Amino acid sequence: GAAATTAAVMASGLTTARPALAQAAGRVVDLTHAYDGSFPTFDGNPGILYEPAVKFAESGYQLWKLTIYEHTGTHIDAPLHFSEDGASVADLPPERLICPLCVIDLTAKAANAMVEPADIEAWVSANGAIPAGSCVAMNSGWAAKVATPEFRNTPDGAFAFPGFSKAATDMLAGMDVACIGVDTLSLDPGNSADFAVHFS
């Protein structure tokens, strides 16, 4: 709501954007993590590598050369991820990347838990209809495990983390939801054998 108000004020040429933001209700939630070579990735390889390009002792400033692999850390799975010729992130209209957010809480569920249609129905019962064009994200609480091997797998090496069920994404597609979001390594749960959600 604050963002929409600010956009409307700016479009009208008025200079009241700052007070509009100051009056916004809500709170700031830090969702960040340090992204380094030990940050967990789907395939287990470092998602980012750093090497010095300019050293402070030699030049009075420093720069780092970064090697980054996609689909690590916070990222967008564009249709190209599971299609040879699908749309890339660059093809997505920017206005489709700003939308209402609905968060479904899965923190009481275990590894390989999924957002199911019943979770969506419970959210709607508690909060009202999910707006068309919104992002539906899950809060699995998995961030608490990000510095441990359990963020990715069980002690015996099997993938284990929450995701969405295909039944849930089919239901959300019928509601004209724009996208889904997860706080784990994949839209599909860790034990998925077919990446059904990626293909839906």
Side-chain angles (χ1 to χ4, degrees):
T5 301
T6 303
V9 168
M10 291 174 66
S12 69
L14 301 177
T15 57
T16 58
R18 186 172 177 191
L21 286 173
Q23 295 169 13
R27 61 193 174 100
V28 174
V29 179
D30 184 359
L31 300 176
T32 61
H33 298 281
Y35 186 42
D36 57 24
S38 66
F39 194 86
T41 62
F42 189 83
D43 61 9
N45 296 320
I48 185 169
L49 299 171
Y50 295 80
E51 59 183 288
V54 179
K55 298 180 180 179
F56 184 84
E58 298 169 359
S59 305
Y61 69 100
Q62 56 187 346
L63 292 174
W64 295 85
K65 176 182 176 183
L66 306 180
T67 303
I68 300 174
Y69 295 88
E70 64 176 348
H71 298 289
T72 63
T74 301
H75 65 275
I76 297 173
D77 274 6
L80 184 60
H81 182 38
F82 267 73
S83 170
E84 190 171 351
D85 57 357
S88 72
V89 172
D91 297 324
L92 302 177
E95 61 271 17
R96 294 283 288 173
L97 302 178
I98 300 173
C99 55
L101 176 64
C102 304
V103 180
I104 296 177
D105 193 329
L106 291 188
T107 54
K109 293 188 175 183
N112 296 317
M114 293 183 283
V115 174
E116 299 283 5
D119 298 308
I120 298 167
E121 291 164 356
W123 192 96
V124 169
S125 292
N127 301 282
I130 293 174
S134 62
C135 174
V136 175
M138 69 173 196
N139 172 23
S140 70
W142 226 241
K145 302 174 183 282
V146 76
T148 70
E150 288 76 25
F151 185 80
R152 184 172 181 269
N153 45 247
T154 61
D156 62 358
F159 278 137
F161 45 81
F164 277 78
S165 72
K166 185 168 185 311
T169 54
D170 288 346
M171 182 179 188
L172 293 171
M175 297 175 170
D176 197 25
V177 164
C179 59
I180 59 173
V182 298
D183 55 352
T184 60
L185 290 174
S186 178
L187 303 174
D188 291 280
N191 63 354
S192 172
D194 57 5
F195 296 108
V197 169
H198 278 82
F199 283 108
S200 61

